[in-house]
Amino acid sequence: MNKGERTNSNRARDHLANERTYLAWMRTAIALMGFGVLIVRLRHLIPQMHESSHSWLLGLLFTFVGLVMVLLATVHYFHIQNAIEEETYRPAGKWIIICTCLVILIGAGVLYYLLTIPIVSPGG
């Protein structure tokens, strides 16, 4: 195998890895949007959630974050694709830190929400 074949093979492998990463971001975004819809729908099924006026905000937040993630993942995919072709790819840690902080904030919001839902016994 000559050097050119190895380079094409590596480049193809890099592009496939970029696509797998993009698809993972899409699955995560879809899951977040699904959680948002679920939270809003549960509001109508569980009386304790219906009494709280903030459940729809939490559902909206999940859905919004999912939509933003779709946009950012698509932009990131094409940025990485160009960097692979131009052989200028450098890993960027800032997105990992931003996403980690975002997930921590959402998780803390969900935990706070779950802990502050008034508990009503089934009998009244």
Side-chain angles (χ1 to χ4, degrees), residues 42-55 113:
L42 282 177
R43 180 174 184 247
H44 299 291
L45 298 174
I46 300 173
Q48 296 93 319
M49 290 181 78
H50 188 65
E51 292 170 7
S52 172
S53 62
H54 300 293
S55 61
Y113 178 72

Side-chain angles (χ1 to χ4, degrees), residues 3-4 9 12 18 24 30 37 45 66 77 79 89 99-100 104 109 118-119:
K3 184 179 179 182
S9 174
N18 188 31
I30 290 168
V37 170
L45 298 174
Y77 171 81
H79 173 74
Y89 173 74
C99 289
T100 300
I104 288 171
I119 297 175

Side-chain angles (χ1 to χ4, degrees), residues 1 27 40-41 54 66 70 74 101 104:
M1 175 184 333
R27 285 189 301 270
V40 171
R41 295 293 295 165
H54 300 293
V70 168
T74 303
C101 291
I104 288 171

Side-chain angles (χ1 to χ4, degrees), residues 13-123:
R13 188 173 33 230
D14 292 343
H15 282 295
L16 290 172
N18 188 31
E19 288 181 26
R20 284 190 302 272
T21 302
Y22 176 73
L23 292 174
W25 281 103
M26 290 296 106
R27 285 189 301 270
T28 303
I30 290 168
L32 285 170
M33 290 185 280
F35 284 136
V37 170
L38 177 67
I39 290 168
V40 171
R41 295 293 295 165
L42 282 177
R43 180 174 184 247
H44 299 291
L45 298 174
I46 300 173
Q48 296 93 319
M49 290 181 78
H50 188 65
E51 292 170 7
S52 172
S53 62
H54 300 293
S55 61
W56 70 273
L57 284 173
L58 187 61
L60 186 64
L61 175 66
F62 268 84
T63 305
F64 178 75
V65 169
L67 289 172
V68 169
M69 188 174 286
V70 168
L71 178 65
L72 292 176
T74 303
V75 169
H76 183 70
Y77 171 81
F78 286 111
H79 173 74
I80 298 301
Q81 182 182 32
N82 290 336
I84 290 169
E85 285 300 314
E86 296 170 3
E87 297 181 3
T88 59
Y89 173 74
R90 298 276 185 250
K94 70 178 178 178
W95 291 112
I96 300 299
I97 293 169
I98 290 170
C99 289
T100 300
C101 291
L102 190 59
V103 169
I104 288 171
L105 286 173
I106 290 174
V110 170
L111 186 60
Y112 173 78
Y113 178 72
L114 291 174
L115 293 174
T116 59
I117 292 176
I119 297 175
V120 177
S121 63

Side-chain angles (χ1 to χ4, degrees), residues 1-7 9:
M1 175 184 333
N2 66 28
K3 184 179 179 182
E5 289 175 7
R6 199 169 96 203
T7 302
S9 174

